[in-house]
Amino acid sequence: MGEFRAFVCRQTGNIHYQTDFIDGSELKDELPEDIDDEDKYIPLPDKRELGLGKPLVLDFAREFLPNDFDDARYFFSKRGAYPKFKALLARRGAIDRWHVFEAKATEQALRDWCALNEIEIVG
């Protein structure tokens, strides 16, 4: 897909990011020269670091699709799991429920991460 890096400045709260996409397009923000200063900048975590990948899917399946839990677990034991999982959600009419579940979990994980890293959430 491409590489994405994002950092929060602990002093200003500004987010600096840089990404390259495989189709050749780029979305770049010039990163500060001192971006490697760990006292000043902290890298934003990805989904896996926040536990929002496979563990979240399995939590959802366990709670809302218990009869399909084994299938979901099997999907995520191999590559290409998300398209299969999304197809299962479509068959069960659970796409909207998944989006709500995922959004709430993402918000909570980010709030927890901010608290852990002493980043104040404003707004």
Side-chain angles (χ1 to χ4, degrees):
M1 296 279 300
E3 183 177 334
F4 182 83
R5 299 179 339 146
F7 301 84
V8 172
C9 177
R10 291 179 185 270
Q11 296 168 348
T12 66
N14 290 337
I15 297 175
H16 301 277
Y17 59 90
Q18 184 177 50
T19 186
D20 298 312
F21 296 100
I22 58 171
D23 67 0
S25 64
E26 296 182 356
L27 176 62
K28 289 193 176 198
D29 180 20
E30 288 298 319
L31 295 178
E33 289 184 22
D34 60 347
I35 198 72
D36 293 324
D37 181 346
E38 294 178 5
D39 292 330
K40 189 172 179 183
Y41 300 99
I42 183 166
L44 292 173
D46 67 14
K47 284 177 93 163
R48 288 180 302 260
E49 292 173 293
L50 293 172
L52 297 172
K54 177 181 176 179
L56 185 64
V57 167
L58 296 180
D59 287 347
F60 179 83
R62 189 177 292 112
E63 184 173 342
F64 295 103
L65 303 171
N67 294 334
D68 297 305
F69 178 78
D70 289 336
D71 289 338
R73 186 172 50 190
Y74 178 73
F75 296 158
F76 282 85
S77 70
K78 301 186 179 310
R79 295 188 66 129
Y82 275 102
K84 292 174 186 171
F85 178 64
K86 298 257 171 132
L88 173 66
L89 292 174
R91 287 193 307 272
R92 300 296 185 249
I95 291 174
D96 290 340
R97 188 180 303 170
W98 162 249
H99 287 300
V100 169
F101 185 85
E102 183 182 35
K104 285 180 182 178
T106 299
E107 179 179 352
Q108 188 59 54
L110 288 169
R111 287 182 178 281
D112 293 346
W113 180 84
C114 286
L116 180 68
N117 289 283
E118 300 175 347
I119 296 172
E120 181 182 355
I121 299 171
V122 179

